[in-house]
Amino acid sequence: MKPSILLAAFLLALSSPALSQAPAARPKVGLVLSGGAAKGMAHVGVLKVLEEAGIQPDLIAGTSMGSIIGGLYAIGYRADTLERLLLEQDWDRVLSDRIPLSEVIFEEKDYFENQLIELPFEGGKVQAPGGLIYGQQISALLSRLSLPAYKIRDFRELPIPFRCVGANLLTGEPYVFDQGYLPRAMRASMAIPSVFTPVHLQDMLLIDGGIVHNFPVTEAKEWGADIIIGAYTGRQRAELDELRSFSEILLQSTFLMSIKDAEEQMPMVDIYIEPGLRDYGAQDFKRADSIIYRGELAARAQFGRLKSLADSLNALGTPRQPQPLPSLDELCFDHIEVEGNKYFSEAEIIGRFGIGEESTASLDELEQGINRLFGSNYFERVSYRLHPEGGLTVLTLEVVEKAPTLLRGAINYDNYLGAGFLFNASTRNVVLPASRLMFTGTIAGNYRFKLDYLKFADEAQRSSGAATIALTRDEIPVFQDGLQNEEFRLFELLIDLRLQRRLGRNHLVGMGIQREHLYFRTTVSGDPLFRRLDYINYNAYAFWQLNTLDRNVLPTRGARLSLELKGLNNDRYNVRQLSPHSPVPLDSLFAFNPYTKLTFQSRCFFPLHKRASLTFNPFAGLVFNPSNTFGDFYLVGAPEPLTRRSIPFYGLNANQLVAQVAVGGGIGYQHFFRDNMLFSLNANAGFFAQPGQFSGSLPEPHQFLAGLGATLGYSSFLGPAKFTFMYPIDTDGIVPRNLRFFLTIGHRF
């Protein structure tokens, strides 16, 4: 594009000896940055060249990604700092609402992003899922980066005056932000339809300004820009032969008016820069380095004109050097308020936030408080706004709540349960405030049903009381000399009352009492010891649990540990059709004197690099001094925990070994070919003692078992799918030594 008449006049004036002696007003340079999603990162390359040429813009106007780059530059971030920020971002996280599982409170971890579908239930009917990103992470990033400007409401008062453009979805008209809360303005300007949720502001619903006004040259001129430098990374008008695919036709129709508007803006630009980005897509955020380089190349092609402009401007006087806003190390909140809450009280939200009024906190502590709120799984989005008001500093917590009642569903298949449907329904603040009622079920051959009520007892919602009722059914095979000679069906009805306290987000300690009713029925046996047996235990227990895994599906780092010490006391039992050939006296077999049980299980992942981890899984299960070993046991086998008594073990099928004592561990290596596909090799070994009374024989001594496993895992839209080959390399004759496999597809609650 040719220089404008105005620019030519300035250069002519400077070359004329007569006119050069007269003082001249220094013209204002406006920098205009278009949208373009990931392609807009090329603006950083343009800024690098402008700095090299010595051009300091007097004002900036931007749309979408241009508003983010332009807004941060207006605050005081230089081009090299912006480049580093873009290159260091985890874009999968930034452009999502996801947080690591380690940032979710313990009580919600098992249900966080661990289902096929989640539906809100509100107004007496199931609502459709939103399908849009609320922008939790991009809002958090923009708030952090813009915090030095929190006292500035008028964008003219920024180190470089700044304007950005959104679009009012209700009217189709552009909306220009030149005052207000800067992070919200930038977030609204890049609210891409069908990707990010719109931003509510007054009576408007704002989306990405690139839909209607992607190249805001007129906005720069309205603020007095005499010379326009424009960088355009938006969509171009496609030719006839390019409109062959559905996606191209859809994009052309969506952005046609925006393209036409940009073409009308371009003649007003004095120095026009258009990076060559046809080989890049709007989603290519992970190619930031090459996109920035493309912007630098395009700007460098105009370097001669840029340098001449800078020299001409400098001849008119020293340019004003904007002073970057000082960074904030600590923040003092005189008052905290909540906006957007409907179902949860302000006191409840501020209590969980964990930072009180008239207190001082670092930026990290502020963000940890925001993460505590979002990690409660109560909200679609949690953000903050810091602003002065009447001489005070006010922190506003802006929340978008989830519906109080959520329905979750998943499907699952494995060798043990068969095909099953998993469902979960949870609702908040039933009967009592700060509470959660949850029903979880697995409909399969071996079913599981659980009803759980949790009531938080303190303002920070760390201490709680809980009541649980659970009903399960399982199959227990019994092997002797490597062959299965019996099988029992076990029904369990558990009633559990406990008090617990969460330490941070990832630790849980507590104690409780239980009533467990166990009902055994013989399904396979040549000479069964009994036909039916049921008994009731009353237990007291204490526990400690830790969960720092980064995600529920195919974790790469962190640990999940569980330690429980339980004392058991039998209330009564009932046995039918006891075998007269039993070698063990009745009073010995069913004495049921009080005894103690200690259980420790773990899954630990130690990352070696981005795509590989070592796994370490020690376990211990000990039943101390029971009067009979029929009273309690562990079910060993399969690579996944299948019951509350399970100890996973490579080399054995599900529940293939019934043990009174189980002490051992496993080690493995897992490698991710892609973010959602892994291969792992595992080995485990342990010492076990079987409760011989299942078959009426005396207890057997400790036996050594070892096994190997190789697993292929894939995170699919149905949930994780894992196929494992296993081989028992040392069995002491307990089970046959042959190759076996275990397949699991779908989520587990």
Side-chain angles (χ1 to χ4, degrees):
M1 182 174 294
K2 295 181 180 181
S4 69
I5 297 176
L6 180 60
L7 178 59
F10 282 134
L11 297 179
L12 178 61
L14 290 173
S15 65
S16 169
L19 296 177
S20 62
Q21 295 177 2
R26 180 186 174 88
K28 289 185 177 181
V29 175
L31 176 63
V32 179
L33 305 176
S34 77
K39 294 190 287 185
M41 295 187 294
H43 295 320
V44 174
V46 174
L47 291 171
K48 290 171 67 176
V49 176
L50 293 183
E51 290 179 357
E52 185 180 337
I55 290 180
Q56 175 64 59
D58 297 289
L59 59 95
I60 300 173
T63 297
S64 194
M65 193 63 176
S67 74
I68 293 177
I69 302 297
L72 296 178
Y73 198 74
I75 292 174
Y77 291 90
R78 298 296 88 188
D80 57 346
T81 304
L82 292 173
E83 181 177 29
R84 186 170 66 252
L85 285 171
L86 293 177
L87 294 178
E88 292 176 354
Q89 291 307 314
D90 179 355
W91 289 106
D92 287 336
R93 178 177 180 181
V94 169
L95 300 174
S96 74
D97 292 327
R98 296 194 303 270
I99 60 173
L101 187 65
S102 57
E103 295 183 5
V104 178
I105 63 171
F106 197 98
E107 296 87 343
E108 297 289 331
K109 287 181 184 288
D110 286 342
Y111 312 101
F112 187 76
E113 296 183 346
N114 194 27
Q115 60 276 328
L116 181 61
I117 190 170
E118 180 179 272
L119 299 173
F121 185 83
E122 198 169 8
K125 59 182 179 180
V126 176
Q127 306 292 328
L132 297 177
I133 298 169
Y134 279 84
Q136 174 67 23
Q137 298 303 334
I138 191 67
S139 294
L141 178 63
L142 294 177
S143 295
R144 166 183 274 266
L145 296 176
S146 304
L147 200 57
Y150 83 91
K151 292 183 179 180
I152 297 177
R153 297 281 299 171
D154 187 341
F155 297 169
R156 283 187 173 92
E157 297 175 6
L158 291 169
I160 302 176
F162 171 70
R163 309 180 87 185
C164 65
V165 180
N168 187 347
L169 187 60
L170 302 180
T171 64
E173 297 295 324
Y175 178 81
V176 181
F177 287 92
D178 48 29
Q179 59 182 340
Y181 185 55
L182 182 60
R184 176 187 287 166
M186 293 189 291
R187 164 68 175 85
S189 182
M190 53 78 64
I192 304 169
S194 78
V195 177
F196 289 104
T197 55
V199 173
H200 290 264
L201 182 63
Q202 300 167 7
D203 58 350
M204 296 179 293
L205 199 60
L206 299 172
I207 60 173
D208 192 319
I211 297 297
V212 295
H213 193 48
N214 200 27
F215 202 35
V217 178
T218 52
E219 283 65 30
K221 284 190 166 294
E222 286 171 359
W223 267 16
D226 301 300
I227 300 169
I228 300 293
I229 299 173
Y232 186 76
T233 58
R235 186 171 177 82
Q236 299 282 2
R237 189 187 298 269
E239 300 297 332
L240 179 61
D241 60 349
E242 296 176 307
L243 297 175
R244 296 178 177 177
S245 67
F246 173 77
S247 61
E248 284 296 324
I249 294 172
L250 181 62
L251 287 171
Q252 177 84 341
S253 60
T254 301
F255 290 99
L256 187 59
M257 297 305 296
S258 176
I259 295 170
K260 184 175 182 294
D261 178 78
E263 292 172 346
E264 293 173 355
Q265 301 285 310
M266 289 175 185
M268 294 182 282
V269 175
D270 299 293
I271 299 179
Y272 178 74
I273 300 170
E274 184 182 326
L277 297 170
R278 284 194 172 272
D279 294 332
Y280 297 85
Q283 73 284 354
D284 285 337
F285 286 91
K286 294 182 180 180
R287 302 174 69 185
D289 53 348
S290 59
I291 290 176
I292 292 171
Y293 179 66
R294 288 282 182 171
E296 185 177 348
L297 284 180
R300 200 164 295 284
Q302 303 278 0
F303 188 80
R305 298 176 63 198
L306 293 170
K307 190 68 172 69
S308 296
L309 175 60
D311 293 341
S312 302
L313 294 171
N314 291 336
L316 295 176
T318 303
R320 180 185 69 87
Q321 293 299 323
Q323 295 299 315
L325 298 172
S327 60
L328 298 178
D329 298 323
E330 286 190 334
L331 306 167
C332 182
F333 317 129
D334 298 300
H335 178 62
I336 300 177
E337 60 185 18
V338 179
E339 286 184 1
N341 58 313
K342 177 181 177 183
Y343 304 114
F344 304 104
S345 69
E346 181 173 287
E348 189 176 356
I349 293 172
I350 294 176
R352 174 148 287 184
F353 177 59
I355 302 176
E357 294 182 339
E358 299 181 354
S359 60
T360 300
S362 67
L363 179 55
D364 287 340
E365 289 170 336
L366 170 61
E367 291 184 338
Q368 287 168 10
I370 295 297
N371 288 340
R372 275 193 295 271
L373 279 173
F374 190 67
S376 69
N377 211 18
Y378 291 1
F379 306 102
E380 300 285 5
R381 180 176 59 81
V382 180
S383 57
Y384 64 89
R385 186 173 80 253
L386 198 65
H387 53 101
E389 190 173 299
L392 302 177
T393 300
V394 177
L395 176 68
T396 300
L397 301 175
E398 300 176 334
V399 300
V400 178
E401 296 172 317
K402 291 186 175 181
T405 301
L406 295 173
L407 307 178
R408 303 179 179 96
I411 58 173
N412 180 270
Y413 171 85
D414 62 47
N415 296 26
Y416 176 66
L417 291 173
F421 173 70
L422 286 68
F423 62 91
N424 172 275
S426 64
T427 187
R428 311 281 183 180
N429 298 341
V430 175
V431 182
L432 296 170
S435 65
R436 182 196 69 189
L437 177 65
M438 178 176 289
F439 180 67
T440 304
T442 301
I443 300 176
N446 291 310
Y447 51 74
R448 281 98 173 81
F449 300 104
K450 183 173 72 172
L451 181 66
D452 184 83
Y453 187 78
L454 178 73
K455 171 67 176 75
F456 290 104
D458 61 329
E459 189 176 73
Q461 300 185 18
R462 293 180 178 176
S463 299
S464 58
T468 300
I469 301 175
L471 176 65
T472 61
R473 187 181 84 165
D474 289 293
E475 308 290 342
I476 305 175
V478 178
F479 287 79
Q480 190 171 27
D481 300 325
L483 298 175
Q484 180 180 342
N485 61 351
E486 286 186 288
E487 183 177 87
F488 294 88
R489 181 166 293 159
L490 169 62
F491 300 87
E492 291 187 78
L493 176 62
L494 176 70
I495 300 174
D496 183 298
L497 300 174
R498 62 192 181 278
L499 297 175
Q500 59 193 30
R501 182 169 176 83
R502 176 168 33 84
L503 308 177
R505 289 186 296 266
N506 301 319
H507 296 257
L508 194 69
V509 296
M511 61 181 64
I513 57 174
Q514 295 176 335
R515 181 187 187 273
E516 50 180 7
H517 189 169
L518 289 83
Y519 175 84
F520 292 89
R521 188 176 73 182
T522 304
T523 56
V524 176
S525 180
D527 184 17
L529 177 63
F530 56 79
R531 287 296 181 185
R532 289 182 11 179
L533 165 68
D534 67 280
Y535 62 88
I536 297 173
N537 283 341
Y538 287 95
N539 314 323
Y541 69 100
F543 66 91
W544 167 75
Q545 297 178 20
L546 168 73
N547 189 341
T548 61
L549 297 178
D550 60 338
R551 57 192 186 191
N552 278 312
V553 177
L554 306 182
T556 63
R557 64 175 67 237
R560 182 162 190 171
L561 312 177
S562 175
L563 178 65
E564 181 185 76
L565 179 63
K566 180 184 293 187
L568 298 95
N569 187 27
N570 179 255
D571 177 60
R572 62 181 181 271
Y573 71 89
N574 179 40
V575 61
R576 298 185 184 181
Q577 299 182 23
L578 181 68
S579 170
H581 307 296
S582 171
V584 183
L586 179 64
D587 58 353
S588 173
L589 182 58
F590 301 112
F592 287 113
N593 291 327
Y595 61 96
T596 306
K597 180 180 180 183
L598 176 68
T599 304
F600 172 75
Q601 295 211 53
S602 66
R603 295 171 62 207
C604 307
F605 299 83
F606 301 96
L608 299 176
H609 54 79
K610 184 179 180 180
R611 294 196 174 274
S613 305
L614 284 179
T615 62
F616 185 51
N617 308 308
F619 60 83
L622 305 170
V623 179
F624 295 102
N625 301 320
S627 60
N628 75 77
T629 52
F630 199 92
D632 222 321
F633 50 88
Y634 299 96
L635 299 174
V636 184
E640 302 284 339
L642 302 171
T643 76
R644 71 185 185 97
R645 301 174 182 272
S646 285
I647 293 180
F649 196 84
Y650 290 93
L652 301 180
N653 291 329
N655 300 349
Q656 193 162 7
L657 179 65
V658 181
Q660 172 195 340
V661 175
V663 179
I667 190 170
Y669 171 83
Q670 67 177 26
H671 184 89
F672 282 82
F673 302 114
R674 296 187 307 193
D675 291 341
N676 62 345
M677 181 180 295
L678 68 77
F679 171 75
S680 69
L681 292 173
N682 299 87
N684 50 208
F687 292 93
F688 303 89
Q690 292 182 267
Q693 282 87 337
F694 268 107
S695 57
S697 61
L698 297 175
E700 298 182 16
H702 289 186
Q703 299 161 314
F704 177 79
L705 278 79
L708 300 174
T711 300
L712 284 173
Y714 177 69
S715 180
S716 69
F717 73 98
L718 293 176
K722 291 192 283 186
F723 186 80
T724 303
F725 285 103
M726 302 180 294
Y727 188 77
I729 57 176
D730 195 332
T731 68
D732 272 359
I734 298 176
V735 295
R737 294 178 60 180
N738 53 19
L739 186 67
R740 55 201 72 192
F741 72 91
F742 190 84
L743 173 64
T744 177
I745 302 173
H747 295 279
R748 297 178 184 276
F749 296 147

